[in-house]
Amino acid sequence: MMLAGPLAHAEHSAAGPTWLPLFPVAVLAVGYVLAAARDPRGWDHRRTASWLVGCALLAVAVGPLAQLPDNPSGHMAQHLLLGMLAPLGLVLAAPVTLLLRVSPPPVRRAVGRLLRARPLHLLAHPVTAALLTTGGLALVLLTPLYAAAERQPVLHHAVHLHYLAAGYLFAWSLAGPDPAPRRPGLAVRIGALLGAAAGHAVLAKYLYAQAETLPPGLSDRDPEAFRSAAQLMYYGGDLAELLLAAALFATWYHSRHPHPHPHPHPHPSPPPSNPVDQEVCVTRGRIPDANLLINSTERSAEQSSILDRPAVEAE
């Protein structure tokens, strides 16, 4: 995965007030907590804790670490949080499942169409997501993009957003508990994780060996500082990859051995065939699978479109 990367971006003060990047993080945290409180079935507190941990890591990355002096190791720690650790906490919180459980039918239908879109299937494939993370990092470290991001705050924030988005996409494609249509099997996901981890390690070693010239385009560089940053990238990346591997196997295990409902109905009835009744049962806790909810809302939309068509008069 491995978005750890680059880093010493100066001119933080030119990007705006120091508290401004913390505002969207606070919105994400508060919005999730409010949505969890609205869940009629009761949302898992462990998911909420995972989301808040991810938001806390984001806050550290865009807050205190962003205000450090121009030190490559400090900025490398910032990018480890943005691209590897925070996305894992956010993904394990299953925000899409929560959205499906508390949103009205039109929103659920829109989410279902998005999850079934072919472009998302391509982007969410583990191999594609791995290329986005490691490839994006290599592009910054091995080209003048790194030096350009130091001089242009807009580009600096765009690179950060790419790290976060690509890291989230990679973690979701491997270990996300949210619904992911056409997700490949365990072997493909393990292969993607191993390939991304190898690419991340090779890139860190190359940065360490070529610290006198990488990243290119810098007018003033400290090779020893970049070697320290490369070491942090290497060992910090190993830790993040181990956590992701643990989440991958845990998600796979729970998908094959689901926990029974703590209070099973003595005589459970089968799910109703009517899409509207299915949506009601989901809110009452009888259909826990978010994929079933997506299917039901889409069938309800199709049924509504048929009913809305004008009748053809017989000639």
Side-chain angles (χ1 to χ4, degrees):
M1 151 179 178
M2 324 348 120
L3 277 184
L7 314 138
H9 298 303
E11 302 182 7
H12 293 293
S13 59
T18 58
W19 54 266
L20 190 59
L22 295 174
F23 179 73
V25 178
V27 171
L28 289 174
V30 174
Y32 186 97
V33 171
L34 292 177
R38 290 180 53 199
D39 184 9
R41 293 172 49 198
W43 189 244
D44 191 341
H45 295 305
R46 293 172 296 181
R47 301 286 189 202
T48 304
S50 179
W51 182 265
L52 294 179
V53 168
C55 289
L57 294 176
L58 286 180
V60 172
V62 302
L65 287 180
Q67 307 309 317
L68 290 176
D70 191 6
N71 185 307
S73 294
H75 292 290
M76 183 65 73
Q78 180 187 19
H79 289 268
L80 281 169
L81 294 177
L82 281 173
M84 301 180 75
L85 295 173
L88 181 57
L90 299 177
V91 163
L92 294 180
V96 176
T97 300
L98 177 61
L99 179 64
L100 289 170
R101 287 170 62 163
V102 303
S103 298
V107 175
R108 295 202 294 266
R109 286 193 288 269
V111 173
R113 288 192 294 268
L114 176 62
L115 292 175
R116 291 189 186 333
R118 290 184 180 273
L120 183 61
H121 294 167
L122 175 62
L123 290 174
H125 193 281
V127 175
T128 307
L131 291 175
L132 287 173
T133 58
T134 54
L137 178 58
L139 183 66
V140 172
L141 287 176
L142 305 180
T143 70
L145 181 60
Y146 175 86
E150 283 192 329
R151 299 187 295 269
Q152 303 177 23
V154 174
L155 180 59
H156 167 79
H157 291 305
V159 170
H160 280 191
L161 287 176
H162 168 78
Y163 288 155
L164 179 60
Y168 186 96
L169 192 65
F170 187 65
W172 174 50
S173 69
L174 294 186
D178 278 327
R182 300 184 184 179
R183 174 179 284 166
L186 181 65
V188 174
R189 287 182 279 165
I190 292 176
L193 176 59
L194 293 177
H200 186 261
V202 169
L203 190 58
K205 291 181 178 180
Y206 189 66
L207 176 62
Y208 184 91
Q210 303 295 326
E212 290 84 1
T213 58
L214 291 179
L218 294 176
S219 58
D220 184 18
R221 70 173 62 249
D222 182 355
E224 288 304 318
F226 277 100
R227 289 192 181 96
S228 298
Q231 288 181 317
L232 179 60
M233 175 181 171
Y234 184 85
Y235 293 109
D238 283 348
L239 174 61
E241 290 149 9
L242 287 174
L243 292 174
L244 182 57
L248 167 59
F249 284 107
T251 302
W252 171 80
Y253 178 82
H254 288 301
S255 67
R256 296 176 62 90
H257 304 86
H259 292 293
H261 196 277
H263 300 290
H265 194 279
H267 300 288
S269 58
S273 58
N274 188 307
V276 177
D277 291 341
Q278 282 187 343
E279 292 177 8
V280 174
C281 290
V282 169
T283 61
R284 293 177 180 175
R286 286 171 53 191
I287 303 179
D289 191 348
N291 285 302
L292 289 178
L293 180 56
I294 294 172
N295 293 333
S296 68
T297 53
E298 288 185 346
R299 287 197 298 270
S300 179
E302 294 173 0
Q303 190 178 75
S304 299
S305 64
I306 294 174
L307 294 176
D308 292 339
R309 294 174 186 170
V312 177
E313 296 181 358
E315 296 182 357

